Amino acid sequence: MRIAVFPGSFDPFTIGHKDIADRALRMFDILIIGIGYNINKPGISGILEDRVKAIEKVFEGNDRIKVEAYSGLTVDFAKRHGAEFIVRGLREVKDFEYERNLADTNAAISDIETVFLTARPDLGFISSSMVRELKANGYDTSRFLPN
Ligand code: ADP
């Protein structure tokens, strides 16, 4: 069984995230979407629950996908689930610099391998922060979000 974790904030979960998850499912038997949160941020539990439910709904009927919120280190979350891989998406060089650092750190403290998927060219400009910004200014963001 190849089990991978796809960690992120997913605030919100976009069609860019969905594409990475769908492609990761071609390589792994089980994909656990982990919504990372900071335990020091109060009042987030209700929001997290909604986010878990919303992402679960996107993959309804697919029993190879699990969605769970977690705090703490991603490698510890992965180990708890018996996952040997972390999946991350790369949109641009800036992502790469940050992600390589994370991957190297995780490799230094565990046996977990990080696997990178480059963003689909037509989805690479989509980010959660861009969606939040548009939404806050009254724009319809539905075309950036999974059904
Ligand atoms: P984080 O706060 O950990 O960066 P995000 O929710 O922003 O979490 O992103 C989670 C992962 O998805 C990251 O690896 C990010 O690079 C990737 N990602 C985000 N948007 C896209 C996209 N449009 N296409 C491909 N990968 C993406």
Side-chain angles (χ1 to χ4, degrees):
M1 267 296 221
R2 287 183 173 266
I3 306 174
V5 163
F6 178 31
S9 317
F10 306 122
D11 179 23
F13 190 85
T14 68
I15 53 174
H17 294 133
K18 168 129 192 329
D19 182 62
I20 297 291
D22 288 339
R23 288 160 58 199
L25 273 178
R26 298 175 61 195
M27 296 186 282
F28 301 105
D29 301 304
I30 302 280
L31 185 70
I32 300 154
I33 297 179
I35 307 169
Y37 69 95
N38 187 337
I39 202 152
N40 298 316
K41 270 190 198 157
I44 194 166
S45 67
I47 298 167
L48 277 176
E49 228 164 85
D50 289 347
R51 211 173 292 164
V52 168
K53 279 193 195 131
I55 301 173
E56 275 174 350
K57 206 155 187 198
V58 172
F59 296 100
E60 208 161 31
N62 187 339
D63 57 6
R64 292 166 58 212
I65 290 247
K66 294 179 174 38
V67 187
E68 199 179 306
Y70 72 98
S71 68
L73 294 185
T74 303
V75 291
D76 292 333
F77 176 67
K79 282 184 199 162
R80 284 203 292 280
H81 286 281
E84 292 174 286
F85 305 93
I86 290 174
V87 173
R88 295 285 283 177
L90 294 178
R91 284 162 293 185
E92 50 187 353
V93 174
K94 209 169 65 182
D95 275 351
F96 173 74
E97 287 173 353
Y98 173 73
E99 295 291 343
R100 180 173 59 182
N101 226 289
L102 264 182
D104 288 348
T105 305
N106 289 337
I109 61 169
S110 74
D111 288 331
I112 293 168
E113 190 71 61
T114 303
V115 174
F116 295 113
L117 294 175
T118 53
R120 210 174 82 183
D122 55 323
L123 302 179
F125 70 99
I126 301 170
S127 68
S128 297
S129 57
M130 174 271 264
V131 169
R132 286 198 305 273
E133 180 82 15
L134 291 177
K135 196 167 181 200
N137 286 284
Y139 279 77
D140 176 17
T141 55
S142 54
R143 70 190 163 112
F144 302 121
L145 305 175
N147 287 333

